[in-house]
Amino acid sequence: MTSLYRLAVIRTVDGPLAVAEHGGRMAPLHVLLGEVAPRIDLGPLLADWPTTSARIDAAIDAGGGVFAQAGIEAASADFALPFASPGALMCIGANYHDHIAEMPMPMTPEYPYAFVKPTHNTLSASGDGVEAPKGVEMMDWEAELAAVIGTAAKHVGEDDALTHVAGYINFNDLSARDWVASRPPIGVDWVRHKAHDGFAPIGPYFVPARFIADPQDLPVRLTVNGAVKQDSNTAQMIYGLKAIIRHLSSIMTLQPGDIIATGTPAGVGHGRKPPEYLKPGDEIRMEIGPLGELVTPIV
């Protein structure tokens, strides 16, 4: 069986470059695959993910020399967005037992509670600074496991749900709690709450699904300025990924490239006593299992 590898896009002097990371070194994906033109985005890999992933597996198994000869030290990589133009970005809210307990929520959701984040302005790569929005006093962090869809899914059952997942990636669902705390009379303004520029840090690595034995058994850890804020496990989810995919695919056809963020555990700033919020100069670091460390400076 192919040993663990991770895919990413890094910044180089010649522009973005898709790479495979294996054993701490990175090799250009097009070199591994015997292609001439560099690949600059992981998104096109999902058009025929079963075939493409098998090609990458075979290349990794046979391509140890590529990592030695053309390899880049992963520790020195400057990451870019792994998916430049993903499909829908769907987020599940209130989905961890420990998060429900820390927040003033009167009940557990009866089904996976979802909202959509725009991708054209919110996505930011690991290492990218995210601007603290003007007028926002309650900017918060939310470490989340995100699944990337690899094959179309419509009305799928839980038994088949994970077969539609290409892989997993870190996601930080940055939030402006101001419009939750004020409880507007008509309801929460989800755009003002979730859709500010840069409010969807993602990355650095995309890990193929076969390397994640159980998405409901992954450690979730987030720090702010080195202090641990979130330290939990995806086992705390109220609705696991199978149930989430079943639910969402009953509403819409999930397409390759769609991203599903699965909710955050306890330890968000708004749930702490006293509450804590982000400010310019802070640095967030989050890591879930083997997905790498997603770094987000607040500027």
Side-chain angles (χ1 to χ4, degrees):
M1 179 179 176
T2 304
S3 57
L4 172 68
Y5 65 84
R6 306 181 291 187
L7 303 178
V9 176
I10 62 173
R11 296 183 175 102
T12 73
V13 293
D14 297 317
L17 178 67
V19 298
E21 184 274 339
H22 184 61
R25 292 184 68 81
M26 294 174 166
L29 193 55
H30 72 287
V31 174
L32 270 175
L33 296 177
E35 299 169 345
V36 175
R39 289 180 177 262
I40 62 173
D41 182 17
L42 300 184
L45 300 178
L46 302 175
D48 185 8
W49 176 245
T51 300
T52 304
S53 62
R55 286 183 63 205
I56 298 173
D57 283 357
I60 294 289
D61 289 340
V66 174
F67 288 93
Q69 297 164 16
I72 303 161
E73 290 292 341
S76 62
D78 180 10
F79 291 99
L81 284 174
F83 301 99
S85 300
L89 173 53
M90 292 158 285
C91 304
I92 305 299
N95 193 38
Y96 274 70
H97 292 287
D98 56 1
H99 182 50
I100 289 281
E102 75 173 346
M103 300 286 274
M105 297 179 186
M107 61 183 290
T108 299
E110 297 180 2
Y111 55 85
Y113 180 58
F115 59 93
V116 177
K117 262 192 173 182
T119 58
H120 72 282
N121 71 304
T122 61
L123 292 176
S124 56
S126 184
D128 287 351
V130 174
E131 183 177 343
K134 293 181 180 179
V136 171
E137 302 295 335
M138 303 166 73
M139 185 179 180
D140 205 350
W141 58 83
E142 293 189 16
E144 305 197 14
L145 173 69
V148 182
I149 297 297
T151 57
K154 179 66 174 179
H155 293 304
V156 301
E158 292 191 20
D159 290 345
D160 299 323
L162 295 186
T163 66
H164 296 276
V165 176
Y168 300 93
I169 197 163
N170 290 320
F171 177 73
N172 187 352
D173 182 20
L174 293 175
S175 305
R177 303 285 188 191
D178 307 64
W179 291 278
V180 175
S182 61
R183 296 284 181 181
I186 295 178
V188 173
D189 186 334
W190 285 96
V191 173
R192 297 181 80 177
H193 184 26
K194 298 286 189 176
H196 293 274
D197 291 346
F199 263 39
I202 195 165
Y205 291 110
F206 168 72
V207 175
R210 63 188 159 285
F211 298 125
I212 304 296
D214 183 358
Q216 305 312 141
D217 186 22
L218 292 170
V220 181
R221 182 181 173 89
L222 179 145
T223 65
V224 178
N225 302 329
V228 176
K229 302 299 182 181
Q230 292 183 279
D231 192 1
S232 187
N233 191 285
T234 56
Q236 281 280 330
M237 284 187 199
I238 298 168
Y239 296 101
L241 185 58
K242 293 179 181 180
I244 292 170
I245 292 174
R246 178 191 59 76
H247 172 70
L248 291 176
S249 73
S250 74
I251 302 168
M252 68 186 79
T253 301
L254 301 175
Q255 299 286 0
D258 287 348
I259 299 173
I260 303 171
T262 54
T264 197
V268 301
H270 196 59
R272 305 181 76 83
K273 296 179 177 52
E276 301 175 16
Y277 301 109
L278 295 165
K279 61 186 183 303
D282 288 343
E283 182 182 73
I284 311 164
R285 292 178 176 263
M286 66 157 287
E287 189 167 8
I288 298 178
L291 306 184
E293 187 176 55
L294 173 60
V295 181
T296 305
I298 306 302
V299 299

